[in-house]
Amino acid sequence: MTRRHDAQKFTMEHLRAVAERVSNWGRWGPDDEIGTLNFIGPEQVLDAARMVRKGKAISLGLNFDRSGPQRGLWGNRFNPIHSMLATGTDAVAGNQDAGGLRYADDMVSMPLQCGTQWDALGHIFFDDKMWNGYDARLVDTNGAAKNGIEKVKHKMFGRGVLLDVARYLGVASLNDGDAVTCEDLDACAKSQGVEIRRGDFVIVRTGHMERCLAAGAWEGYAGGAAPGLAFETAEWIHRKEIAAICTDTWGCEVRPNETDDCTQPWHWVVIPKIGITMGEIFNLKELADDCEQDRVYEFLFTAPPLPITHAVGSPINPMAVK
Amino acid sequence: MTRRHDAQKFTMEHLRAVAERVSNWGRWGPDDEIGTLNFIGPEQVLDAARMVRKGKAISLGLNFDRSGPQRGLWGNRFNPIHSMLATGTDAVAGNQDAGGLRYADDMVSMPLQCGTQWDALGHIFFDDKMWNGYDARLVDTNGAAKNGIEKVKHKMFGRGVLLDVARYLGVASLNDGDAVTCEDLDACAKSQGVEIRRGDFVIVRTGHMERCLAAGAWEGYAGGAAPGLAFETAEWIHRKEIAAICTDTWGCEVRPNETDDCTQPWHWVVIPKIGITMGEIFNLKELADDCEQDRVYEFLFTAPPLPITHAVGSPINPMAVK
Amino acid sequence: MTRRHDAQKFTMEHLRAVAERVSNWGRWGPDDEIGTLNFIGPEQVLDAARMVRKGKAISLGLNFDRSGPQRGLWGNRFNPIHSMLATGTDAVAGNQDAGGLRYADDMVSMPLQCGTQWDALGHIFFDDKMWNGYDARLVDTNGAAKNGIEKVKHKMFGRGVLLDVARYLGVASLNDGDAVTCEDLDACAKSQGVEIRRGDFVIVRTGHMERCLAAGAWEGYAGGAAPGLAFETAEWIHRKEIAAICTDTWGCEVRPNETDDCTQPWHWVVIPKIGITMGEIFNLKELADDCEQDRVYEFLFTAPPLPITHAVGSPINPMAVK
Amino acid sequence: MTRRHDAQKFTMEHLRAVAERVSNWGRWGPDDEIGTLNFIGPEQVLDAARMVRKGKAISLGLNFDRSGPQRGLWGNRFNPIHSMLATGTDAVAGNQDAGGLRYADDMVSMPLQCGTQWDALGHIFFDDKMWNGYDARLVDTNGAAKNGIEKVKHKMFGRGVLLDVARYLGVASLNDGDAVTCEDLDACAKSQGVEIRRGDFVIVRTGHMERCLAAGAWEGYAGGAAPGLAFETAEWIHRKEIAAICTDTWGCEVRPNETDDCTQPWHWVVIPKIGITMGEIFNLKELADDCEQDRVYEFLFTAPPLPITHAVGSPINPMAVK
């Protein structure tokens, strides 16, 4: 049903042509740092609240711990390291009593994109530029002087729509290399009886994470082959004027790449050119089960990022409220 | 108007008597790990959605960076350390081109309670026990086997109420040592025309953070003297059956302590005995300004914690949506 | 030739009897925190210098990086995470020029025992005690109030002796489970024509690390099965009055354990009872090759620990100078 | 006696002329990554051993902990964060007994140059180049592909000489801004009756650290004003063909800068052009006292860096052995 990633490999010329077509640079002025989150206004926020019909909140966050998906395949990422700064064993040993309070305290060291997360607009570059045409060199070891995640700290609230492509296709999980096309997205929405509106948070379920969880092995989940959005969906995203796009995979787009000429071509275009914030590694099982049961695929969605100054991503605990 | 912390110092006998009176141990069964968040059910979630009337989302999160409030006064906490794993300068230098993608990536090392945050129920102990009677030694260097923050990952969504005590008292900020009493809370709510309901997220504004931000100096904010809730408000919290209590101070309760016999007496009782999750270091300026303007002090509130497995706290970016 | 770990499993009674026999508690007074490093005095330091005969310095340190031996098999350890705080790419981009200096800077997050390292005397407990009878609860989340690695910061200098057991046995590497006995150690020394003296740093080569490096796979190196010192060598170590004992394995002693009743029985006795500092994960190839060539198995040895206050271990870069 | 930093401000032309004169680029071939450590050969190692005359080892390392000198004045550096991965309180609580071993374990997060340390040759750039003419962009977020600290892991062993300038000048500490000149160094050596030889580790004492320790306040120690080497000593260092230069200050050279046109001009020249490894934040009190007493200012010196792959610095615990 879905297209294979290698059905027809495209060239950089095609990539660049699409990038030009879908570019939103300047659309919200030269100083914009939030991109398609501009599609969310008071109306969309009110609309989101109207989605709450039965009073059920569902977390889409994978727990953050050392059993996370990072397996050293990609970049310098690692699983979260949680360590304790004070413990109950210290407390019961009496070691804290001079201070008059018995407590535990802790810290974490983690890549901001090691688990369920937002990619900030400063995360991916197109040639020497990032979203809205800012120079990529504005992101240095001091962080992202432009397009940092802290710029969107009040924006991650709106109407959410689940497109359960796996269920639509009648499979537990798409296969690695399966490319979800624009037609797939439209047909899935239609079959679910839900419409995509401007300013929506669109969440696509491939079943990939559940496949790994069921197998008890992440293997190539983070950085390897995966089902995911076809490159062409960049045009769908642009046309639909959605606020954000999220999936239950590591990198949203299909892997292996649909081109031999670069890596993650969809990323090249979608973040820097469309200016859309991307959600990855979403845990969709509970939401998908609920939607299958009540046949309602829309909901209030919120996933406030940690406003880490100048960060290019943030771990999140997204919530769908129905 | 407010009471001084040292108006009348109390003894450990008093503390223990109050602890006994307000204890919710066993109320939701012997296996409960979420305490007063049990007060939130479908009705409260629906009620929260009804609070959205004008479509405005406001972040209550302080940015996380090295200029945060930690000044080494208390425990082993430090300000967040954000560092880069990949940069735009690397990208533009061509150093990533062999990989076919230009990107930035980053990591953070941070105490989970160094900024805007939830205290988990495993954070504070009463003698050798934590919430619901669990042994404090269940919190060791492997984290909190019980009462970890991940247990509440789907619960931080409900109706929020701001009690702007500073504005009610006509001051920019309460003074350090000013104790907000039950009477203050009730009178403030009354003057604002808002009622406190079961399952609410109650947010108390003292003006402390704004005072520090205006002065450009945190000084004793984290761990020193502060305005805050009087010890007696433990009974108010218990009686009102609220879901969570949050403030714009480091530790919610008034400092110096209202007793000479222990440190942070309110913490002793409120977290382990009532079982209430506590929000601290909230940035309330924008919300308070908005509430002052429209005279509406209730809103949808959400602050999903990062579900760090077995953690005793979580940094958050709380959202009030009106 | 060597004995198998399971030749004859021993009981906790035997372990406790040996522990009693080899105990050095009180030998250097009730306040001692350096144990067998007391065997090093001016004479030993002078002797060490005399070992330098050809002017060749050899590092015994494995590089610290993400390809290190930690594979999540044991405890909470992980491989070092090195990240940059400033880079040459930033510099060349001109991003540092306002500061008037072009530079790179970096940080590391690492378990102190993730690679080549010293175990401090506070690392292992015997029942509720550590070296010299100190209460184990003196090691809490604030670190080791007694027996911390900083206490030995000026002591890691002396005469070193390599006992190349693998070469003596004519194998590239001992097998996992091979137990090196007292007799093996004595015979090896004799065959090498070297004597063990009081205050020596004795370094035992099993070939285990070289086997892993040759295979390009650490597998169970850290925490799994390994060749190593037989439990009985605790008596040899005590009798010889050596200053420290080091190997090219993760944990010095043979694994699986020689008893079914506890884990790492040799550790139980050697660190807390004898009070000997232990060196692990030493990279011995270059030294072993050199010793084989010149037939000289003694040398100046130095491995200054990082004096991290209250730490129970330290990464090191040991040096043998011949 | 010493010259003030502002006696005569120099220009970039002067800096560049000196840089040209002292450049060692190419001296040890185009592939060299260790610079002046090439001056250490077997003869120097043997000579070092001969310096051991009374059998006394002295640590020159400042302990690494949260009370270290970093006060946020410079760059992204912070004091070491030591946290525990296992504790004696856990052990005594019985929480480890299922594993059969009672132990403590720990980790550290630290900038590699936050305390007593080596600067690697990849730490400082001259325009777009580093030591030996390598492109500065070889140091990116993956670390230093050239001139990393791991390249010198076997070289930090040789003859050390203390030039106790403070004692020579009859002061407890030089003042901030006091510039130690070539003449000062020569006169100090002469007064101490010690000669500087090719391949030496030269250690200059200003008294700055002891001043801070005595005051109990680091203040501007890390990144602020300081006594230190005059810019002109670059020529002395080049002429003497020493292996490394170390001081008891944060940055070796006098601060404020002797020029208005750049920051730390001596660093510009000394590391990238001469190719000398620099030791900073040395704790010299005990060594200085010993040398004053026995009038012997030469010794065996060793300070093995942690071979952190591609790092631009390393924390160390230097040892002087007399």
Side-chain angles (χ1 to χ4, degrees):
Chain A
M1 198 87 178
T2 54
R3 195 171 71 195
R4 288 284 304 165
H5 71 95
D6 49 5
Q8 189 180 3
K9 295 268 181 172
F10 60 79
T11 63
M12 290 305 284
E13 286 65 41
H14 176 64
L15 185 152
R16 289 181 180 281
V18 172
E20 206 49 45
R21 272 206 299 280
V22 302
S23 175
N24 283 323
W25 288 11
R27 182 169 180 167
W28 297 282
D31 296 330
D32 182 71
E33 299 182 54
I34 69 171
T36 55
L37 293 168
N38 281 294
F39 289 129
I40 304 173
E43 201 173 324
Q44 281 72 26
V45 172
L46 287 163
D47 200 29
R50 277 180 220 117
M51 298 298 116
V52 182
R53 289 156 185 155
K54 60 182 183 187
K56 181 175 183 180
I58 298 169
S59 163
L60 313 182
L62 186 70
N63 282 5
F64 291 94
D65 54 43
R66 297 189 193 198
S67 61
Q70 302 303 324
R71 288 293 173 263
L73 288 182
W74 192 87
N76 289 324
R77 293 183 189 163
F78 53 92
N79 285 319
I81 297 163
H82 174 230
S83 61
M84 300 301 291
L85 301 174
T87 58
T89 49
D90 286 4
V92 172
N95 292 14
Q96 301 174 338
D97 289 347
L101 180 69
R102 291 182 164 198
Y103 71 100
D105 218 23
D106 45 8
M107 64 175 279
V108 74
S109 291
M110 63 192 293
L112 298 177
Q113 303 189 21
C114 66
T116 311
Q117 38 118 342
W118 288 125
D119 284 4
L121 295 184
H123 173 51
I124 299 289
F125 310 115
F126 189 89
D127 295 336
D128 291 0
K129 304 289 186 187
M130 56 176 160
W131 161 245
N132 215 16
Y134 291 113
D135 191 311
R137 287 168 295 193
L138 290 166
V139 186
D140 64 12
T141 49
N142 290 309
K146 291 288 176 184
N147 294 337
I149 197 70
E150 78 278 16
K151 302 292 169 54
V152 302
K153 73 182 187 181
H154 59 301
K155 294 300 289 183
M156 294 308 188
F157 186 97
R159 177 175 176 262
V161 172
L162 176 70
L163 293 181
D164 189 344
V165 175
R167 182 182 161 280
Y168 161 68
L169 294 174
V171 296
S173 170
L174 277 70
N175 292 318
D176 295 343
D178 285 349
V180 178
T181 63
C182 300
E183 201 183 312
D184 292 330
L185 294 175
D186 286 329
C188 177
K190 191 173 174 193
S191 87
Q192 292 178 180
V194 70
E195 72 172 335
I196 305 297
R197 300 182 198 152
R198 170 192 271 213
D200 276 352
F201 290 80
V202 174
I203 302 170
V204 177
R205 178 173 171 270
T206 67
H208 191 193
M209 181 187 287
E210 291 158 63
R211 169 159 45 104
C212 293
L213 291 174
W218 288 109
E219 292 177 352
Y221 180 84
L229 295 167
F231 177 72
E232 65 167 43
T233 60
E235 309 230 33
W236 188 92
I237 286 165
H238 181 252
R239 191 167 62 240
K240 295 289 187 184
E241 299 187 335
I242 60 176
I245 179 84
C246 313
T247 72
D248 59 350
T249 65
W250 169 75
C252 287
E253 73 186 284
V254 65
R255 306 287 310 276
N257 306 312
E258 291 174 279
T259 176
D260 292 331
D261 300 338
C262 73
T263 295
Q264 295 187 269
W266 187 83
H267 269 69
W268 274 62
V269 168
V270 171
I271 294 179
K273 283 295 189 172
I274 300 181
I276 197 169
T277 302
M278 195 178 295
E280 294 165 336
I281 316 186
F282 278 40
N283 190 357
L284 299 177
K285 183 174 181 4
E286 188 178 349
L287 176 62
D289 287 351
D290 188 89
C291 292
E292 182 163 26
Q293 193 170 35
D294 70 7
R295 306 290 306 157
V296 177
Y297 286 84
E298 60 185 2
F299 39 81
L300 181 157
F301 175 84
T302 186
L306 294 187
I308 300 173
T309 307
H310 297 165
V312 296
S314 174
I316 48 173
N317 174 14
M319 303 276 284
V321 188
K322 298 180 67 174
Chain B
M1 197 88 177
T2 55
R3 195 170 71 195
R4 287 283 305 165
H5 71 96
D6 49 6
Q8 190 180 3
K9 295 268 180 173
F10 61 78
T11 64
M12 290 306 283
E13 286 67 39
H14 176 64
L15 184 153
R16 289 181 179 281
V18 171
E20 206 49 45
R21 270 205 301 281
V22 302
S23 176
N24 283 323
W25 288 12
R27 183 169 181 167
W28 297 283
D31 297 330
D32 182 71
E33 300 182 53
I34 69 170
T36 55
L37 292 168
N38 281 294
F39 289 128
I40 303 173
E43 199 173 325
Q44 281 72 28
V45 171
L46 287 163
D47 200 29
R50 277 180 221 116
M51 298 299 117
V52 182
R53 290 158 185 151
K54 60 182 183 187
K56 181 174 182 179
I58 299 169
S59 163
L60 313 182
L62 187 70
N63 282 6
F64 291 94
D65 54 43
R66 297 189 192 196
S67 61
Q70 303 303 325
R71 288 292 172 263
L73 289 182
W74 192 86
N76 289 324
R77 292 183 190 163
F78 53 93
N79 285 320
I81 297 164
H82 175 231
S83 61
M84 300 302 291
L85 301 174
T87 59
T89 49
D90 286 4
V92 172
N95 292 15
Q96 302 174 335
D97 289 347
L101 180 68
R102 293 183 164 197
Y103 71 100
D105 218 22
D106 45 7
M107 64 175 280
V108 74
S109 292
M110 63 191 293
L112 298 177
Q113 303 188 21
C114 65
T116 311
Q117 40 118 343
W118 289 123
D119 284 4
L121 294 184
H123 173 52
I124 300 289
F125 310 115
F126 188 89
D127 295 337
D128 291 0
K129 304 289 186 189
M130 57 176 160
W131 161 245
N132 215 17
Y134 291 114
D135 192 311
R137 287 168 295 194
L138 290 166
V139 187
D140 64 13
T141 50
N142 289 308
K146 292 286 176 185
N147 295 337
I149 196 71
E150 79 278 15
K151 303 293 168 55
V152 301
K153 73 181 186 181
H154 59 300
K155 295 299 289 182
M156 295 308 188
F157 185 96
R159 177 175 176 262
V161 172
L162 176 70
L163 293 181
D164 189 343
V165 175
R167 182 181 161 279
Y168 161 67
L169 294 174
V171 296
S173 171
L174 276 70
N175 292 317
D176 295 343
D178 284 350
V180 177
T181 64
C182 300
E183 202 184 310
D184 292 329
L185 294 175
D186 286 329
C188 177
K190 192 174 173 193
S191 86
Q192 293 179 179
V194 70
E195 73 174 331
I196 304 298
R197 299 180 198 153
R198 171 192 272 211
D200 276 352
F201 290 80
V202 175
I203 301 169
V204 177
R205 178 172 170 270
T206 67
H208 191 194
M209 181 188 287
E210 291 158 63
R211 169 160 44 106
C212 292
L213 291 174
W218 288 108
E219 292 177 353
Y221 180 84
L229 296 166
F231 178 72
E232 65 167 42
T233 60
E235 309 229 34
W236 187 91
I237 286 166
H238 181 253
R239 190 167 63 241
K240 295 290 186 183
E241 299 187 334
I242 60 176
I245 179 84
C246 313
T247 71
D248 59 350
T249 65
W250 169 75
C252 287
E253 73 186 284
V254 64
R255 305 287 309 277
N257 306 312
E258 291 173 279
T259 176
D260 292 331
D261 299 338
C262 74
T263 294
Q264 295 186 268
W266 187 83
H267 269 70
W268 275 62
V269 168
V270 170
I271 293 179
K273 283 294 187 174
I274 300 181
I276 196 167
T277 302
M278 195 178 295
E280 294 164 338
I281 316 186
F282 277 39
N283 190 356
L284 299 177
K285 182 171 183 4
E286 189 178 349
L287 176 62
D289 287 350
D290 188 89
C291 293
E292 183 165 25
Q293 192 169 36
D294 70 7
R295 306 291 305 159
V296 176
Y297 286 85
E298 60 186 3
F299 38 83
L300 181 156
F301 175 84
T302 186
L306 294 188
I308 299 173
T309 307
H310 297 165
V312 296
S314 174
I316 48 173
N317 174 15
M319 302 276 284
V321 188
K322 299 181 66 176
Chain C
M1 197 90 177
T2 55
R3 196 170 73 195
R4 288 283 306 165
H5 71 95
D6 49 5
Q8 189 181 3
K9 294 268 181 174
F10 60 78
T11 64
M12 289 305 284
E13 286 66 42
H14 176 65
L15 184 153
R16 288 180 180 282
V18 172
E20 206 48 44
R21 272 204 301 279
V22 302
S23 175
N24 283 324
W25 289 10
R27 183 169 180 167
W28 297 283
D31 297 331
D32 182 70
E33 301 182 53
I34 68 171
T36 55
L37 292 167
N38 282 294
F39 289 129
I40 304 174
E43 199 173 326
Q44 281 73 25
V45 172
L46 287 163
D47 200 28
R50 277 180 220 116
M51 298 297 117
V52 183
R53 290 156 185 152
K54 61 182 182 186
K56 181 174 182 179
I58 299 169
S59 163
L60 313 182
L62 187 70
N63 282 5
F64 291 94
D65 54 44
R66 296 187 193 199
S67 61
Q70 302 303 325
R71 288 292 173 262
L73 289 182
W74 193 87
N76 289 324
R77 292 182 190 163
F78 53 93
N79 285 319
I81 297 163
H82 174 231
S83 60
M84 301 301 292
L85 302 174
T87 58
T89 49
D90 286 4
V92 173
N95 293 15
Q96 302 174 336
D97 289 346
L101 180 69
R102 293 182 164 199
Y103 71 101
D105 217 23
D106 46 7
M107 63 175 280
V108 75
S109 292
M110 63 191 293
L112 298 177
Q113 303 189 22
C114 65
T116 311
Q117 39 119 341
W118 288 123
D119 285 4
L121 294 184
H123 173 50
I124 300 290
F125 310 115
F126 188 89
D127 295 336
D128 291 359
K129 303 289 186 190
M130 56 175 161
W131 161 244
N132 215 18
Y134 291 113
D135 192 310
R137 287 170 294 195
L138 290 166
V139 187
D140 64 14
T141 49
N142 289 309
K146 291 285 177 186
N147 294 339
I149 196 71
E150 79 278 15
K151 302 292 169 55
V152 301
K153 73 181 187 181
H154 59 302
K155 294 300 289 183
M156 295 307 188
F157 187 95
R159 177 176 176 262
V161 172
L162 175 70
L163 293 180
D164 189 343
V165 175
R167 182 182 162 281
Y168 162 66
L169 294 174
V171 296
S173 170
L174 276 70
N175 292 318
D176 295 343
D178 284 350
V180 177
T181 63
C182 300
E183 201 183 311
D184 292 330
L185 295 174
D186 286 330
C188 177
K190 191 174 173 193
S191 87
Q192 293 178 178
V194 69
E195 73 173 332
I196 305 296
R197 300 180 198 153
R198 170 191 272 210
D200 276 351
F201 290 80
V202 174
I203 302 170
V204 177
R205 178 173 171 269
T206 67
H208 191 194
M209 180 187 288
E210 289 158 64
R211 171 162 39 106
C212 293
L213 291 174
W218 288 108
E219 292 177 354
Y221 179 85
L229 295 167
F231 178 73
E232 65 167 42
T233 60
E235 311 229 33
W236 187 92
I237 286 166
H238 181 251
R239 191 167 62 241
K240 295 289 187 184
E241 299 187 334
I242 61 177
I245 179 84
C246 313
T247 71
D248 59 350
T249 67
W250 169 76
C252 287
E253 72 186 285
V254 66
R255 305 286 309 276
N257 306 310
E258 289 173 280
T259 177
D260 293 330
D261 299 338
C262 74
T263 295
Q264 294 186 271
W266 187 83
H267 270 69
W268 276 62
V269 168
V270 170
I271 294 180
K273 283 295 188 173
I274 300 181
I276 196 168
T277 301
M278 195 178 295
E280 294 165 337
I281 317 186
F282 277 40
N283 191 356
L284 300 177
K285 182 171 181 7
E286 189 179 349
L287 176 62
D289 287 350
D290 188 90
C291 293
E292 183 165 25
Q293 193 169 35
D294 70 6
R295 305 292 303 159
V296 177
Y297 286 84
E298 59 186 3
F299 37 83
L300 181 158
F301 176 84
T302 185
L306 294 188
I308 299 174
T309 308
H310 298 165
V312 296
S314 174
I316 48 173
N317 175 14
M319 302 276 285
V321 188
K322 299 179 68 174
Chain D
M1 197 87 177
T2 55
R3 195 170 71 195
R4 288 284 305 166
H5 71 95
D6 48 6
Q8 190 181 4
K9 294 268 181 173
F10 60 78
T11 64
M12 291 304 284
E13 286 65 41
H14 176 64
L15 184 153
R16 288 180 181 281
V18 171
E20 206 48 45
R21 271 204 301 278
V22 301
S23 175
N24 283 324
W25 288 10
R27 182 168 179 167
W28 297 282
D31 297 331
D32 182 70
E33 301 182 53
I34 68 171
T36 55
L37 293 167
N38 282 295
F39 288 128
I40 304 173
E43 199 173 325
Q44 282 72 27
V45 171
L46 287 163
D47 199 28
R50 276 179 220 117
M51 298 297 116
V52 182
R53 290 157 184 152
K54 61 183 182 185
K56 180 174 184 180
I58 299 170
S59 163
L60 313 182
L62 187 70
N63 282 6
F64 291 94
D65 54 42
R66 298 189 192 197
S67 61
Q70 302 303 324
R71 289 290 173 264
L73 289 182
W74 192 86
N76 290 324
R77 292 183 189 163
F78 53 92
N79 285 318
I81 297 164
H82 174 232
S83 60
M84 300 301 292
L85 301 174
T87 59
T89 50
D90 287 3
V92 172
N95 293 16
Q96 301 174 337
D97 289 347
L101 180 68
R102 293 182 164 199
Y103 70 100
D105 218 21
D106 46 7
M107 64 176 279
V108 75
S109 291
M110 62 191 293
L112 298 176
Q113 303 188 22
C114 65
T116 310
Q117 39 118 343
W118 287 124
D119 285 3
L121 295 184
H123 173 50
I124 300 289
F125 310 115
F126 189 89
D127 295 336
D128 291 0
K129 303 289 186 188
M130 56 176 162
W131 161 244
N132 215 18
Y134 292 113
D135 192 310
R137 287 168 294 195
L138 290 166
V139 186
D140 64 13
T141 51
N142 290 307
K146 291 288 177 184
N147 293 338
I149 196 71
E150 79 277 15
K151 302 293 169 54
V152 301
K153 73 182 187 181
H154 58 301
K155 294 300 289 185
M156 296 306 188
F157 186 96
R159 177 176 176 262
V161 172
L162 175 70
L163 294 180
D164 189 344
V165 175
R167 182 181 161 280
Y168 161 67
L169 294 175
V171 296
S173 171
L174 275 71
N175 292 318
D176 295 344
D178 284 350
V180 178
T181 63
C182 301
E183 200 183 314
D184 292 329
L185 295 175
D186 286 329
C188 176
K190 191 174 174 193
S191 87
Q192 292 178 178
V194 70
E195 72 173 333
I196 306 296
R197 299 180 198 153
R198 171 192 271 212
D200 276 350
F201 291 81
V202 174
I203 302 170
V204 177
R205 178 173 170 267
T206 67
H208 191 194
M209 180 187 287
E210 290 159 63
R211 171 160 43 106
C212 292
L213 290 174
W218 288 108
E219 292 177 352
Y221 180 84
L229 295 167
F231 178 72
E232 66 167 41
T233 60
E235 310 229 33
W236 187 92
I237 287 166
H238 181 252
R239 190 167 63 240
K240 294 290 187 183
E241 299 188 336
I242 61 177
I245 179 84
C246 313
T247 72
D248 59 350
T249 66
W250 169 76
C252 288
E253 72 187 284
V254 66
R255 305 287 310 276
N257 305 312
E258 290 173 280
T259 176
D260 293 330
D261 299 337
C262 74
T263 294
Q264 295 187 270
W266 187 83
H267 269 70
W268 275 62
V269 168
V270 170
I271 294 180
K273 283 295 187 173
I274 300 182
I276 196 168
T277 302
M278 194 178 295
E280 294 165 336
I281 317 186
F282 278 41
N283 190 358
L284 300 177
K285 182 173 183 2
E286 189 178 350
L287 176 62
D289 288 350
D290 188 89
C291 293
E292 183 164 24
Q293 194 169 35
D294 69 7
R295 306 290 306 156
V296 176
Y297 286 85
E298 59 186 2
F299 38 82
L300 181 157
F301 174 85
T302 184
L306 294 188
I308 299 173
T309 308
H310 298 166
V312 296
S314 174
I316 48 172
N317 175 14
M319 303 276 284
V321 188
K322 297 179 69 176

